[in-house]
């Protein structure tokens, strides 16, 4: 292997680049997780995560990837044979639906086009037909990482209310949390699922459930078998800052640092504005290349990633390979039925204007090298927009 000079560009939509500060915070001796010093760390990160989810209800933290927190959301609230209404936004929604089936639930999957968010009207219509209230939960992926389309979570809440349906509302924010505005309490969500390795700028290995009073009440009667994921054990220990089993202590050191950066130093609203600005600059670059953004509806554009559609006859994975080999940059592959049709640019986490310009330059050169008919005008379009944003900050918000 020859040495690759400079930093690898990790521009997949998670795991994201971990700031050096967070890496240093992790690099400390592991402490006794039953000690008083641990309790103050535990309390601090549990409180900080409530602010990220925008909730006054408890948040639990698992030493697991996001998939674990998906499972926790289902097994704590539901019983064997329960119907759950899920929406096919893309690959991740499909995986969550498969998990629900494996766990003995009966998902009703509303078909989607893999270019749009969940349609609140379709959800409302489906719930209205369920006059006996057999559907026990509605599950939606906030930011579908396979497509770069965002679902309007508050509008889905209204649809559930308008249908006067008592189902729980479960939302996956694994690739939107701390990148795209999200409000657990205000939007009336019962369980929100999060992960560490995307907007929170941490390595993989932590995942989260934000709860509601209604979710906690459902957990009292839910009959799916659960042990590792059981909220009641977690909450009993968390009260004093502890965990029922060994937590991922060093990742919690990292979480304390990233919470400081997000909540105290930059501020969540500024973090969201930064992601929006980079997403808009990316879309301008894609159009200037002469390519198409996969997400169809501008109201649903993702601020954390952009999926780029390839022209017919050009393989997105070949472009990704050329970019990796020539410019040491990783981009997201097309998942599920989008395999080889799209590549995905992750612009979330610890990311600034020049990281974006470097990322787009790698894409632009790679597209040329791969012989994809594109104009080399994308980086210029992004630079023009970013410079305008700095000259006129009001414009960045528009
Ligand atoms: C990354 C991701 C997951 C899967 O999380 P893992 O940490 O890989 O288990 C689930 N849902 C969404 C929306 C994601 O982006």
């Amino acid at each position: 292997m020859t040495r690759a000079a400079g930093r690898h560009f990790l521009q997949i939509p998670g795991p994201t680049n971990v700031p050096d500060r967070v890496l240093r915070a992790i690099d400390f001796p592991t402490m006794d997780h039953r000690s008083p010093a641990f309790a103050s760390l535990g309390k601090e990160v549990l409180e900080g995560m409530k602010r990220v989810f925008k909730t006054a209800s408890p948040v639990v933290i698992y030493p697991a990837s996001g998939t674990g927190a998906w499972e926790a959301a289902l097994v704590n609230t539901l019983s064997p044979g329960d119907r759950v209404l899920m929406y096919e936004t893309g690959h991740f929604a499909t995986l969550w639906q498969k998990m629900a089936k494996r766990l003995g639930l009966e998902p009703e999957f509303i078909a989607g086009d893999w270019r749009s968010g969940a349609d609140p009207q379709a959800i409302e219509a489906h719930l209205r037909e369920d006059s006996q209230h057999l559907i026990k939960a509605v599950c939606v992926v906030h930011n579908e990482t396979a497509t770069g389309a965002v679902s309007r979570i508050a509008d889905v809440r209204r649809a559930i209310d308008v249908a006067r349906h008592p189902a729980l509302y479960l939302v996956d924010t694994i690739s939107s949390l701390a990148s795209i505005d999200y409000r657990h309490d205000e939007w009336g969500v019962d369980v929100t699922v999060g992960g560490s390795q995307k907007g929170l700028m941490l390595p993989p290995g932590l995942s989260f459930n934000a709860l509601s009073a209604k979710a906690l009440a459902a957990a009292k009667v839910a009959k799916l078998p659960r042990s590792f994921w059981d909220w009641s054990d977690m909450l009993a220990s968390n009260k004093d800052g502890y965990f029922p089993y060994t937590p991922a202590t060093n990742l919690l050191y990292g979480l304390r640092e990233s919470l400081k950066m997000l909540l105290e130093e930059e501020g969540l609203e500024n973090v969201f504005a930064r992601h929006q600005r980079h997403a808009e600059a990316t879309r301008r670059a894609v159009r200037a290349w002469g390519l198409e953004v996969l997400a169809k509806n501008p109201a649903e554009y993702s601020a954390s990633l952009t999926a780029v559609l390839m022209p017919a006859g050009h393989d997105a994975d070949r472009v990704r390979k050329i970019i990796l080999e020539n410019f040491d940059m990783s981009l997201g592959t097309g998942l599920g039925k989008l395999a080889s049709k799209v590549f995905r640019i992750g612009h979330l986490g610890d990311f600034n204007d020049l990281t974006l310009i470097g990322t787009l330059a790698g894409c632009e050169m790679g597209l040329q090298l791969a012989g994809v008919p594109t104009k080399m005008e994308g980086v210029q379009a992004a630079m023009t927009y970013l410079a305008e944003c700095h000259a006129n900050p009001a414009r960045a918000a528009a």
Side-chain angles (χ1 to χ4, degrees):
M1 281 278 277
T2 55
R3 185 182 101 87
R7 275 222 171 187
H8 175 68
F9 266 56
L10 182 66
Q11 296 317 139
I12 57 177
T16 65
N17 295 289
V18 180
D20 291 349
R21 264 178 70 179
V22 171
L23 291 173
R24 284 191 206 109
I26 290 169
D27 183 16
F28 273 88
T30 302
M31 64 163 85
D32 172 7
H33 60 284
R34 313 266 183 220
S35 67
F38 182 88
S40 70
L41 168 67
K43 283 183 190 156
E44 190 180 337
V45 294
L46 288 164
E47 280 306 309
M49 284 310 298
K50 288 189 189 180
R51 290 173 62 194
V52 173
F53 283 106
K54 297 187 181 168
T55 183
S57 292
V59 171
V60 300
I61 305 178
Y62 295 107
S65 87
T67 302
W70 260 353
E71 180 159 342
L74 298 175
V75 297
N76 276 285
T77 55
L78 298 164
S79 298
D82 277 354
R83 291 199 199 162
V84 290
L85 183 60
M86 302 178 110
Y87 199 102
E88 187 199 7
T89 47
H91 184 68
F92 287 96
T94 303
L95 289 177
W96 202 11
Q97 180 254 3
K98 282 185 182 153
M99 171 187 275
K101 263 192 204 157
R102 285 185 188 175
L103 291 171
L105 298 167
E106 288 187 22
E108 295 177 10
F109 208 28
I110 301 179
D113 64 359
W114 290 51
R115 296 188 73 167
S116 316
D119 174 4
Q121 283 178 333
I123 290 173
E124 183 189 326
H126 207 99
L127 291 175
R128 277 187 194 281
E129 276 172 26
D130 177 36
S131 55
Q132 292 185 65
H133 297 165
L134 296 174
I135 293 170
K136 298 303 177 195
V138 175
C139 302
V140 175
V141 174
H142 181 213
N143 183 67
E144 175 52 78
T145 322
T147 67
V150 169
S151 290
R152 289 163 288 148
I153 298 305
D155 291 351
V156 172
R157 171 76 266 170
R158 270 188 286 279
I160 299 169
D161 292 344
V162 168
R164 295 176 185 277
H165 201 287
L168 292 163
Y169 188 19
L170 277 46
V171 177
D172 170 349
T173 63
I174 296 176
S175 62
S176 52
L177 194 69
S179 302
I180 300 172
D181 189 19
Y182 185 77
R183 309 173 190 187
H184 177 86
D185 285 3
E186 189 184 321
W187 294 347
V189 179
D190 293 302
V191 187
T192 302
V193 176
S196 59
Q197 76 273 26
K198 303 187 186 181
L200 291 171
M201 310 182 291
L202 294 167
L206 294 179
S207 56
F208 311 89
N209 278 175
L211 315 180
S212 73
K214 188 171 162 185
L216 285 164
K220 290 216 166 71
V221 294
K223 297 212 169 44
L224 277 177
R226 59 186 187 266
S227 170
F228 182 81
W229 306 115
D230 203 310
W231 292 338
S232 59
D233 298 340
M234 271 288 190
L235 294 172
S237 298
N238 285 175
K239 257 195 302 101
D240 304 311
Y242 295 109
F243 285 75
Y245 39 74
T246 314
T249 310
N250 289 57
L251 287 176
L252 298 180
Y253 300 160
L255 178 58
R256 177 165 57 187
E257 191 69 12
S258 72
L259 288 172
K260 208 183 291 168
M261 295 163 79
L262 292 165
L263 297 171
E264 314 297 338
E265 296 176 15
E266 186 171 3
L268 276 184
E269 305 312 311
N270 294 326
V271 171
F272 300 150
R274 168 167 59 84
H275 282 79
Q276 276 183 27
R277 183 171 83 242
H278 291 151
E280 175 61 26
T282 302
R283 291 189 296 268
R284 286 174 186 231
V286 172
R287 293 189 188 114
W289 291 329
L291 298 179
E292 198 182 337
V293 170
L294 179 70
K296 260 204 230 163
N297 177 0
E300 297 174 337
Y301 284 153
S302 171
S304 61
L305 76 125
T306 301
V308 182
L309 254 181
M310 296 299 289
H314 293 272
D315 182 341
D317 284 334
R318 188 170 157 265
V319 176
R320 287 177 51 254
K321 183 168 183 280
I322 287 171
I323 290 171
L324 178 63
E325 287 172 359
N326 289 277
F327 306 114
D328 197 22
M329 175 162 73
S330 295
L331 294 168
T333 186
L335 295 169
K337 65 182 184 194
L338 294 171
S340 83
K341 294 191 172 64
V342 305
F343 67 88
R344 295 171 302 140
I345 304 171
H347 35 73
L348 73 164
D350 190 36
F351 195 74
N352 65 22
D353 290 0
L354 296 187
T355 351
L356 175 64
I357 293 304
T359 299
L360 295 173
C363 294
E364 190 161 314
M365 292 186 287
L367 287 162
Q368 289 288 313
L369 281 173
V372 181
T374 45
K375 294 199 209 85
M376 288 192 88
E377 292 169 9
V379 172
Q380 183 60 60
M383 288 196 298
T384 302
Y385 174 72
L386 292 175
E388 275 172 17
C389 290
H390 285 277
N392 178 8
R395 158 148 203 168

